[in-house]
Amino acid sequence: MTYEYILIQTEQKVGLVQFNRPRALNALNREMVSETVAALESFDRDPGVGCMVITGSERAFAAGADIKQMAQATPVDMLDNPFIDYWDRLRRLNKPVIAAVSGFCLGGGCELAMACDMIIASESAQFGQPEINLGVIPGAGGTQRLTRAVGKALAMEMVLNDRRLSADEAARFGLVNRVVPTESYLAEAMKFAAQIAARAPVAIRLAKEAINAVYEMPLQAGLAYERRLFYMLFATEDQKEGMDAFVNKRPANWQGK
Ligand code: CAA
């Protein structure tokens, strides 16, 4: 499949999607988001891929949803527009997705990064939900995911008063996993993703599912769910292989079975 707004490649079992609308600071138009989700779903189905990375450019991960595309929209246009539904499809991906973020990560860009499983930020990344300046509020999960990540007090400031977070602040408040030098942010994210892609695939998938279940379930149900997934892994060849490798002091050879 060929894409107009994104570039894709696979390296060391990592599927990479790179936004390619530099002149609009990777503003997320419908087409780019649709292509991104299609590419990620295709990586998710590909047994040669174990982990995925989404990135933009050094100057901008994404400066938000495309304001020009929605400026004249009516509520019914917005209702009929699958734009925000794409975020739900991201949530259904089985393999981990890492956002490699540099520069502007605003509005829908920040919401997209937060919909990923982990975020690696360059020193020059800037996170914010500036929709209030446009007379609207975040509409792709910003009020919900940001509040869960950084807490109510800071989320209120960010959404109500356009408070931006530097990369270091984002790390301090738990929004990002780590901050790395701007020159090497993508290489660092790819290295990190390759480490995850080299691990036991079924266990990685179920680990992601169990952690994300925290946001959907009360504690008792979450603990029971985790336990079932844990027991289920004893039906995999990888569990036998991993434990045998430990006992016999050799590296494990994962099959994803
Ligand atoms: N949508 C459409 N175009 C955008 C854009 C966006 N979100 N962000 C930037 N661009 C375009 C600009 O219009 C400009 O294009 P032209 O050269 O054709 O005029 C180009 O990208 C470069 O932008 P600037 O000249 O503004 O660059 P700057 O360095 O002066 O400023 C910026 C950078 C601070 C990020 C500024 O562009 C900006 O504030 N952008 C908008 C950020 C924003 O409000 N995002 C939220 C969008 S709404 C949303 O995301 C809703 C949701 O929850 C789903």
Side-chain angles (χ1 to χ4, degrees):
M1 183 156 178
T2 53
Y3 299 106
E4 189 180 347
Y5 292 101
I6 60 169
L7 305 170
I8 58 163
Q9 71 177 77
T10 310
E11 195 182 302
Q12 287 189 290
K13 295 188 77 183
V14 177
L16 173 67
V17 174
Q18 182 153 29
F19 303 138
N20 191 24
R21 265 194 104 193
R23 270 182 293 159
L25 302 182
N26 293 326
L28 301 162
N29 61 13
R30 266 190 301 279
E31 298 75 9
M32 193 163 96
V33 176
S34 141
E35 287 184 4
T36 298
V37 172
L40 291 172
E41 286 176 342
S42 152
F43 283 141
D44 206 40
R45 288 189 298 269
D46 181 345
V49 168
C51 189
M52 297 173 269
V53 172
I54 310 184
T55 197
S57 67
E58 195 175 303
R59 181 160 179 236
F61 176 73
D66 190 325
I67 299 167
K68 293 168 189 167
Q69 203 170 54
M70 65 187 165
Q72 300 305 323
T74 66
V76 176
D77 294 335
M78 295 303 284
L79 199 62
D80 286 344
N81 181 347
F83 184 79
I84 289 172
D85 299 337
Y86 289 125
W87 266 246
D88 295 331
R89 279 165 62 186
L90 274 185
R91 223 159 37 102
R92 290 197 289 272
L93 295 168
N94 295 315
K95 295 170 188 169
V97 186
I98 296 169
V101 173
S102 184
F104 297 113
C105 185
L106 302 176
C110 190
E111 292 170 301
L112 183 60
M114 290 191 295
C116 296
D117 299 305
M118 288 174 270
I119 303 178
I120 302 290
S122 87
E123 286 158 341
S124 54
Q126 178 195 110
F127 297 85
Q129 297 288 162
E131 288 88 345
I132 201 73
N133 300 331
L134 303 166
V136 291
I137 65 170
T143 62
Q144 305 301 301
R145 289 203 175 94
L146 186 66
T147 307
R148 284 180 158 95
V150 305
K152 176 179 162 182
L154 188 54
M156 283 281 183
E157 265 194 72
M158 291 177 71
V159 175
L160 275 61
N161 203 28
D162 189 17
R163 158 91 148 89
R164 309 271 170 102
L165 296 187
S166 67
D168 283 339
E169 286 178 314
R172 185 145 32 94
F173 295 122
L175 186 62
V176 312
N177 291 73
R178 72 174 82 132
V179 181
V180 297
T182 302
E183 317 79 78
S184 58
Y185 80 98
L186 184 54
E188 292 283 345
M190 290 297 283
K191 199 160 73 183
F192 181 44
Q195 286 170 359
I196 293 169
R199 296 188 181 280
V202 185
I204 288 286
R205 172 176 172 172
L206 298 193
K208 163 176 164 154
E209 194 176 319
I211 292 173
N212 283 332
V214 164
Y215 298 109
E216 317 286 341
M217 290 181 188
L219 181 61
Q220 276 309 323
L223 289 170
Y225 189 64
E226 177 198 79
R227 204 162 309 159
R228 282 193 195 104
L229 296 180
F230 174 64
Y231 294 155
M232 199 178 116
L233 284 165
F234 285 76
T236 65
E237 290 174 23
D238 282 348
Q239 174 268 328
K240 301 288 175 290
E241 166 66 9
M243 295 195 183
D244 184 73
F246 175 82
V247 172
N248 291 299
K249 302 186 189 301
R250 63 172 177 85
N253 180 15
W254 308 120
Q255 300 298 326
K257 290 192 174 131

